[in-house]
Amino acid sequence: MSSHTELVSRLRAAWLSGKTRPMEYRVAQLEALGRFLDEKKQDILQATAADMRKPPFEVEVSEISICRSELNHTLNNLGTWMKDKHVEKNWATQLDSAFIRKDPYGVVLIIGPWNYPINLLLVPLIGAIAAGNCVVMKPSEITRNVERLVAETLPRYLDEDCFAVVTAGVEETTRLLENKFDYIFFTGSPSVGRIVMTAAAKHLTPVTLELGGKNPCYVSDSCNVQNVARRVAWGRFFNAGQTCVAPDYVLCSAEMQEKLLPALHEAITEFYGPSPRESPDFGRIVGDKQFQRVQALLHSGHTAIGGQTDAEERYIAPTVLVEVQQDDPVMQEEIFGPILPILTVASVDDAIAFINARERPLVLYVFSSCKEVVNRVLERTSSGGFCANDTIMHMTIPSLPFGGIGQSGLGRYHGRSSFETFSHQRSALLRGAGRETLNTPRYPPYAPHRLSLLRAATETKRRAACLLL
């Protein structure tokens, strides 16, 4: 028996014992996770800086604060979420109890990515703990310092009978996926997501896949150009562009592009100074392989802003590309780096057609002071999420579900959605042992005159429509 198989078996035994089910236990584990965030904050800052020179401010905002907010939101609402949901009954069951019980799935596997290695591992973990599961966590091996920190310190805070951290590369993760889990939560690329889903299918294990994609950003002619430039530049170049919900490309008119370029240059200079390479507020690409991939995308179109690189530092300057063609390499894959292509369209309808001709994105952005334009894009497109007149900020609201659609993902989480993702909605009907006479109409030998009685007792009737003229 492999070590992974033994681990999963041990956690399953703990789950079957019922240890994780009481609310008091779940709250205690969540509070312990909060202590980890508080006591290891400086270690988290140092590890993320060592892995990708992530600015401390960005770590505070995108790793620690978001986890803390999600944790508090869950603790504030867990008692309500755990309650049975009583449902409407038919006439035949009026004297009985019918409800939905939120049951934990069992032993859950969470596979985290490297771009936000704390946030995107712990936020799903919060939901899994809240729902009463045992959890195996697999942090990314690419951010080695964070991986080491999580593996060495997080188990000291959580119940080791029910929670475990596994460090593994590609081959070891493949073997880990051969085990039967009751739920798998994966964040990463669509290509690896397919591998995870294939492995899960062998055991008919349900999955959530948080993937990515090319997130469009339509900028209409009716907007405050300076505000747009600041918000788009912040969203695109935060974490050196290594954000799954960053605006991946801009669609706008030729006239708007002429206004937007100097505003973007001004915003980049305001944020990172005349030489972003020297700014303490601009990060680096996580690894050499990732650097080479992103650097190759700079050959698309014409560089209007930035374009400087340094392979030794894995530095790529905040860059804006123009004259980009639809078939250029930069438009064929998620950029995941500090590059912003601008493509021109004649109208909002052309922008909508461009967006709808491609895979559905994780999020769609639109900037316009005209509500009709915003609503037009919202109503005629499909995406995992939608945000008007800003970027990324929808991620700060725990009560908004987050997830993709199609190529950008499967399932959703954050807040109550995390709790529901890791919970099985178990239907329950508790009937009385007596009153057998009421059941007689459904038993053989069948009699035609009983059918109308049975239908009246069990069928749902359509309510009369109420039309306000």
Side-chain angles (χ1 to χ4, degrees):
M1 182 181 291
S2 72
S3 60
H4 292 155
T5 302
E6 291 176 358
L7 173 64
V8 174
S9 297
R10 178 169 61 81
L11 265 61
R12 191 176 306 284
W15 179 74
L16 288 171
S17 74
K19 187 176 186 179
T20 63
R21 288 180 177 264
M23 179 176 172
E24 294 77 13
Y25 178 87
R26 306 182 196 192
V27 168
Q29 296 303 302
L30 291 171
E31 289 177 341
L33 190 57
R35 291 194 295 275
F36 167 79
L37 290 170
D38 291 340
E39 295 173 9
K40 297 301 176 182
K41 173 182 170 180
Q42 195 58 41
D43 295 319
I44 292 171
L45 293 173
Q46 292 172 355
T48 51
D51 283 328
M52 49 202 306
R53 222 184 93 171
K54 189 176 287 195
F57 186 94
E58 292 188 359
V59 178
E60 289 267 12
V61 170
S62 64
E63 304 276 16
I64 298 170
S65 178
I66 281 188
C67 288
R68 170 60 68 187
S69 180
E70 185 79 19
L71 188 61
N72 290 339
H73 181 75
T74 300
L75 287 168
N76 289 342
N77 293 281
L78 183 56
T80 300
W81 296 345
M82 287 180 64
K83 289 180 180 177
D84 292 338
K85 180 182 179 182
H86 289 268
V87 299
E88 185 178 352
K89 296 173 290 187
N90 55 33
W91 182 86
T93 56
Q94 283 300 306
L95 299 177
D96 306 314
S97 177
F99 56 89
I100 299 169
R101 169 72 51 87
K102 289 89 169 183
D103 266 3
Y105 271 104
V107 180
V108 169
L109 172 64
I110 298 175
I111 303 177
W114 53 261
N115 60 326
Y116 292 92
I118 297 295
N119 173 349
L120 298 181
L121 185 71
L122 297 195
V123 170
L125 174 63
I126 290 167
I129 293 174
N133 297 282
C134 291
V135 185
V136 176
M137 292 160 273
K138 211 297 286 184
S140 174
E141 73 279 9
I142 293 176
T143 43
R144 295 194 177 279
N145 291 282
V146 173
E147 179 192 42
R148 186 182 308 112
L149 172 65
V150 170
E152 293 179 357
T153 63
L154 184 56
R156 301 174 193 168
Y157 289 83
L158 300 176
D159 181 352
E160 293 190 5
D161 289 339
C162 301
F163 306 99
V165 178
V166 171
T167 58
V170 175
E171 292 182 6
E172 296 92 337
T173 303
T174 301
R175 287 195 291 271
L176 176 64
L177 285 166
E178 293 174 356
N179 291 274
K180 176 177 172 53
F181 291 94
D182 300 301
Y183 202 98
I184 298 176
F185 190 106
F186 169 79
T187 303
S189 68
S191 59
V192 180
R194 290 185 180 92
I195 296 171
V196 171
M197 197 168 186
T198 300
K202 293 179 181 178
H203 298 289
L204 297 180
T205 298
V207 298
T208 289
L209 302 178
E210 293 296 343
L211 308 177
K214 297 189 71 62
N215 304 315
C217 178
Y218 174 65
V219 180
S220 79
D221 289 338
S222 60
C223 62
N224 183 310
V225 179
Q226 281 69 36
N227 289 351
V228 172
R230 288 163 60 87
R231 297 176 191 187
V232 169
W234 177 75
R236 173 69 276 184
F237 304 124
F238 191 94
N239 197 30
Q242 298 164 112
T243 305
C244 62
V245 291
D248 199 85
Y249 62 93
V250 167
L251 297 172
C252 65
S253 67
E255 294 77 14
M256 174 52 66
Q257 178 179 279
E258 291 301 311
K259 300 175 184 176
L260 192 56
L261 281 173
L264 283 168
H265 187 275
E266 181 181 345
I268 292 169
T269 303
E270 176 190 350
F271 292 170
Y272 309 113
S275 177
R277 180 177 175 180
E278 300 171 9
S279 171
D281 299 322
F282 188 73
R284 296 296 186 266
I285 304 300
V286 69
D288 294 334
K289 179 182 176 182
Q290 292 80 4
F291 172 85
Q292 291 165 9
R293 184 193 64 80
V294 177
Q295 185 183 41
L297 301 179
L298 291 169
H299 300 300
S300 301
H302 170 73
T303 302
I305 301 171
Q308 300 83 8
T309 66
D310 184 325
E312 186 176 346
E313 283 193 20
R314 301 195 304 275
Y315 166 77
I316 297 177
T319 299
V320 179
L321 302 177
V322 296
E323 300 174 16
V324 174
Q325 304 301 312
Q326 297 184 26
D327 57 354
D328 280 342
V330 78
M331 292 302 296
Q332 304 309 307
E333 60 181 283
E334 184 179 7
I335 295 170
F336 232 62
I339 302 173
L340 181 67
I342 300 179
L343 293 86
T344 58
V345 291
S347 66
V348 62
D349 288 335
D350 285 349
I352 290 170
F354 187 97
I355 293 165
N356 287 341
R358 284 152 182 79
E359 295 286 354
R360 289 180 283 185
L362 187 56
V363 61
L364 194 160
Y365 297 109
V366 57
F367 285 85
S368 180
S369 57
C370 177
K371 291 183 180 179
E372 288 76 13
V373 170
V374 172
N375 288 328
R376 188 175 184 83
V377 177
L378 177 59
E379 291 171 3
R380 292 184 55 194
T381 58
S382 176
S383 59
F386 184 91
C387 182
N389 295 314
D390 212 336
T391 60
I392 301 183
M393 289 303 293
H394 61 294
M395 299 288 291
T396 66
I397 305 175
S399 51
L400 274 181
F402 172 70
I405 181 171
Q407 183 84 359
S408 60
L410 173 70
R412 61 182 189 173
Y413 73 122
H414 285 188
R416 184 166 193 155
S417 292
S418 290
F419 175 81
E420 293 177 347
T421 285
F422 290 106
S423 298
H424 167 59
Q425 307 293 304
R426 188 180 188 185
S427 301
L429 174 63
L430 308 184
R431 303 213 71 193
R435 304 188 296 272
E436 186 63 10
T437 303
L438 298 176
N439 295 319
T440 302
R442 74 175 196 249
Y443 296 149
Y446 300 125
H449 69 275
R450 294 179 180 175
L451 183 58
S452 59
L453 181 62
L454 186 60
R455 290 180 60 184
T458 59
E459 267 191 22
T460 299
K461 302 295 188 294
R462 185 176 180 182
R463 297 188 183 95
C466 179
L467 301 177
L468 299 177
L469 302 179

